[in-house]
Amino acid sequence: MGLTPHIPVIVVTSCNRIMRLMRLCSMGDAYTEWVPDHFIGGHPALDLSNAVFDRRGPAADNELFKSVQDVANWFSASGLADDRQAQAVAEIADGRFVEGVREMREASFQVFEPIAAGKPSAAEPLGVLFSRTASSLAAGSIELDGTRPKLALARWRDPDAVTALLAMLSIDAFFTLPRDRLHSCPRCGWLFLDTSRGGKRRWCSMRTCGNREKVSRHRDHTDV
């Protein structure tokens, strides 16, 4: 989403005053600060897919899920987990957990990005999501609230159950989101559901990519 990369201070240039700091850094201890602009997708599965700095021009430090705490904070900021549930996620000690979350994120993106481009989704990433979901459903790790997954508090400490929950959210989105309203930001590649009345939304956010495009066009015009 072309938002401020990993830096230790807030950028205050006129171009970036409207942007909030996305990552904080202190003596090698870094974490992602999730802000509302991270959750513009219109569905949790799209917000999960967008959990990187930039899709079209990846930065050297493009990863936002750097640690278990980043994942726990994402669940809290997204509204998918309350404080106790997010704390349970933060206590997951399995070293493979963050890698599993990233795998679900990439599978989700690979499912929805072609749809945003008017193409059919590939079967393989969808199969990854179904496989992760099926194993947890069969084991009884996940309950259902209608068609949405629900975890008991103890299961929020289970890395397999948490990654399966993410997979189920993406599967739900695959079958329910209106495909003609699913778009990709031409500047950063983040995915979003266009819920505007006229269906003319172009940018992930006018406050970031939209304004950056305006600045870029103005600079090109003045350089002529």
Side-chain angles (χ1 to χ4, degrees):
M1 182 183 178
L3 295 174
T4 308
H6 190 87
I7 52 177
V9 294
I10 298 178
V11 178
V12 293
T13 62
S14 59
C15 175
N16 291 329
R17 285 182 187 276
I18 60 171
M19 299 167 58
R20 296 184 60 187
L21 180 64
M22 305 298 286
R23 292 178 235 180
L24 299 178
C25 175
S26 61
M27 299 302 290
D29 181 19
Y31 63 92
T32 298
E33 184 190 8
W34 303 106
V35 297
D37 279 339
H38 280 117
F39 303 97
I40 50 77
H43 189 282
L46 301 182
D47 293 329
L48 174 67
S49 299
N50 294 339
V52 296
F53 178 64
D54 194 305
R55 284 288 182 186
R56 298 197 185 278
D61 188 16
N62 207 46
E63 182 58 64
L64 296 181
F65 286 141
K66 293 180 174 297
S67 66
V68 173
Q69 189 64 57
D70 282 340
V71 177
N73 291 346
W74 182 88
F75 270 106
S76 177
S78 69
L80 291 173
D82 60 27
D83 290 344
R84 290 199 307 161
Q85 293 164 340
Q87 181 56 41
V89 173
E91 294 170 0
I92 293 176
D94 190 330
R96 300 167 298 174
F97 172 58
V98 175
E99 181 180 348
V101 171
R102 293 172 183 171
E103 181 185 8
M104 295 305 100
R105 177 192 64 195
E106 294 309 304
S108 182
F109 178 75
Q110 290 164 20
V111 165
F112 296 114
E113 194 275 336
I115 296 174
K119 302 176 182 178
S121 292
E124 182 177 353
L126 192 59
V128 169
L129 298 173
F130 272 111
S131 178
R132 184 60 61 93
T133 297
S135 60
S136 286
L137 284 173
S141 301
I142 293 183
E143 301 175 0
L144 293 177
D145 182 7
T147 60
R148 286 294 185 95
K150 182 176 71 172
L151 300 183
L153 179 59
R155 292 298 185 182
W156 284 94
R157 297 184 178 89
D158 180 347
D160 291 335
V162 174
T163 52
L165 181 149
L166 295 174
M168 288 190 70
L169 290 172
S170 293
I171 291 172
D172 172 75
F174 176 75
F175 286 109
T176 60
L177 294 185
R179 299 183 174 224
D180 61 334
R181 289 294 183 119
L182 182 58
H183 302 303
S184 173
C185 178
R187 191 170 184 91
C188 72
W190 276 22
L191 302 170
F192 62 89
L193 194 65
D194 183 359
T195 58
S196 64
R197 179 175 298 180
K200 300 297 185 181
R201 177 178 167 188
R202 183 180 181 189
W203 309 105
C204 60
S205 170
M206 275 304 300
R207 293 196 303 166
T208 51
C209 285
N211 276 328
R212 285 188 170 188
E213 181 68 13
K214 288 182 180 180
V215 170
S216 178
R217 290 180 180 177
H218 176 74
R219 185 183 300 115
D220 290 344
H221 179 73
T222 55
D223 288 346
V224 173

